[in-house]
Amino acid sequence: MSHALIRCRPLPRRLLAGLAAGLLLAAAPVQAQPALPGSFIRDLEGLEARLAQAPAEVSERARQQAERLAAGNAADRWARALYLQLAAGAAARRGEHGRAAAWLSAAAGSEVAPAAWRRARLREAAFQHRAAGETAAAAARFGRWLEAAEAPPVEEHWRLIGWLAELERWEAAAARLDALEARPREEARRALALSVYRRAGRDGEALALLREGLDREASPAAWRRAAALAQQLGDPGLAAALWEAGWRRGALSGAEDLRRLARLHLAGGTPARAAEHLTKGLEDGVLAGEVRHRRLLAAAWEAARDHDLALSAWEAVARESEKAADWLRLGQLAHGWGHEALARRALRRARTLGAEEAEAWLASLPDPEEEGAAALADQVERSVQTGA
């Protein structure tokens, strides 16, 4: 006769199958279970032998025995726990996972059973709840098992985090993540952790997780997610730095990524870097020499307050586009930066192309004829004073 305990296979979404042959020894040597009378042993083994052929009969008989023994002595209550386990195995074979979970939970609550045996039944109850579609109950049982288990594999922690995420219990899932000793390296687990932290409102942890995973092998999507999250956190400078790093490592490339890099630098307060990237992109052919790209370059030099380069870039844009708005912008900048001749010429062209506000800007400029007359009068006065 074998000395293994009755065991239900703890596999999610599958039937408990294959009970072991014997019923005598507990799994924990530190706590011996009460001795069972021979009658109980024979009855339990007889029921186990008929489990595959008559699960309904076995389930009913085991349930009745468990009820009868509930108020008995320690040996009776130990036998009751084994009957409950047997009933659960029979119920699971019939697809009655909810009943199996309830009986396993009751068995796990037997104070006379060895601690390791009770923990095993608690874990099996969690899987039966899961198979029954009762994920909340499954998570509760599994969480209790994890708390009581001795050094459970890390995979078991991730299983519970996944169940909590399905239940949208984001804070609880985040707390479980915090308790892990190491950050996840597998892509699927990193994605789960990222989702949990973000849904729990823990964007700082999510960004830290993303940054840890950004290496030379990181996908372009990972770099984009990190930069987007930095923007959502109100840190455009960090977003620009992350995109810059991805660009330098070659994870980000092409015209669209370059345009995004430039806009991030503009938003992050580093417009000169945006202008440098755009200039190189135009020179290298990454960006087509379209007016929209040159307009973005002009805006970057303007934001960087490089007067000469900004005015030159805006004039090139205005000449190419022949749009009133571009000439007007050139005129406004030239006016503000003291380039009156350029301002007058640009504003007049803007007025010709239909920019009505150009008239007011022109009116605020000194009249060149009056300036010439005043200059001539000054020259004559100086000559008189010097006797020239």
Side-chain angles (χ1 to χ4, degrees):
M1 175 173 58
S2 168
H3 296 295
L5 288 176
I6 296 178
R7 294 191 179 275
C8 303
R9 291 180 62 188
L11 296 177
R13 301 187 180 279
R14 296 177 63 180
L15 297 180
L16 288 175
L19 294 175
L23 306 165
L24 295 182
L25 289 184
V30 295
Q31 179 185 351
Q33 76 281 1
L36 291 181
S39 58
F40 283 154
I41 296 173
R42 288 190 294 273
D43 188 43
L44 285 163
E45 290 185 332
L47 290 174
E48 184 184 10
R50 301 202 304 277
L51 181 62
Q53 290 74 31
E57 177 185 334
V58 169
S59 177
E60 182 61 20
R61 166 66 178 173
R63 182 191 62 79
Q64 290 175 354
Q65 285 288 76
E67 289 180 357
R68 184 176 67 83
L69 297 169
N73 57 25
D76 289 344
R77 296 197 302 278
W78 170 227
R80 174 180 180 270
L82 292 172
Y83 276 116
L84 286 170
Q85 184 188 9
L86 188 59
R93 281 180 173 272
R94 302 180 68 199
E96 298 171 351
H97 300 294
R99 295 182 71 185
W103 286 332
L104 285 166
S105 294
S110 175
E111 78 283 359
V112 299
W117 187 92
R118 295 199 308 270
R119 289 196 298 269
R121 304 293 80 73
L122 188 62
R123 183 176 187 274
E124 291 167 0
F127 284 116
Q128 286 304 302
H129 278 300
R130 174 72 169 167
E134 301 165 352
T135 302
R141 301 293 189 278
F142 206 72
R144 285 172 53 195
W145 172 74
L146 277 177
E147 296 300 327
E150 298 178 3
V154 68
E155 289 78 9
E156 303 290 35
H157 291 279
W158 281 103
R159 190 193 308 277
L160 179 56
I161 291 168
W163 290 356
L164 291 171
E166 286 183 23
L167 295 167
E168 298 185 357
R169 292 175 54 189
W170 306 113
E171 290 79 8
R176 291 281 174 180
L177 280 172
D178 291 341
L180 294 177
E181 294 183 359
R183 294 284 195 180
R185 299 185 63 85
E186 300 84 352
E187 186 65 27
R189 288 180 180 174
R190 294 183 67 84
L192 174 58
L194 177 61
S195 177
V196 166
Y197 277 137
R198 294 196 65 185
R199 298 297 186 89
R202 305 269 296 276
D203 286 339
E205 286 85 348
L207 182 57
L209 184 63
L210 275 173
R211 294 181 71 178
E212 288 174 10
L214 295 178
D215 51 30
R216 294 188 182 279
E217 287 71 43
S219 67
W223 288 98
R224 294 187 179 103
R225 282 197 303 268
L229 185 54
Q231 275 193 299
Q232 292 173 20
L233 290 173
D235 195 340
L238 176 58
L242 288 168
W243 203 279
E244 175 90 26
W247 179 266
R248 288 180 177 275
R249 295 188 180 191
L252 302 173
S253 61
E256 184 58 37
D257 284 342
L258 180 53
R259 285 191 293 268
R260 180 66 172 164
L261 175 59
R263 293 190 180 98
L264 284 173
H265 274 300
L266 284 169
T270 48
R273 290 294 297 140
E276 290 166 5
H277 278 295
L278 289 167
T279 299
K280 190 173 189 310
L282 287 165
E283 291 174 350
D284 294 347
V286 177
L287 293 177
E290 303 171 10
V291 69
R292 60 170 179 151
H293 295 147
R294 299 193 182 279
R295 188 178 289 113
L296 184 58
L297 174 61
W301 284 128
E302 176 188 339
R305 301 196 64 79
D306 188 313
H307 295 187
D308 292 340
L309 289 175
L311 292 173
S312 176
W314 273 115
E315 185 168 9
V317 169
R319 289 183 180 281
E320 183 176 353
S321 72
E322 274 297 294
K323 288 186 175 181
D326 292 332
W327 282 109
L328 179 62
R329 188 58 188 155
L330 173 61
Q332 290 170 333
L333 288 175
H335 184 291
W337 290 340
H339 294 257
E340 294 176 358
L342 177 58
R344 187 176 292 107
R345 179 160 48 84
L347 291 168
R348 284 173 177 169
R349 183 59 181 158
R351 181 180 59 186
T352 299
L353 292 171
E356 295 179 0
E357 63 259 53
E359 190 65 48
W361 284 89
L362 280 168
S364 67
L365 287 169
D367 188 310
E369 293 182 0
E370 292 181 358
E371 285 186 333
L376 179 59
D378 287 342
Q379 183 179 358
V380 170
E381 184 176 354
R382 285 195 299 271
S383 298
V384 170
Q385 291 174 351
T386 60

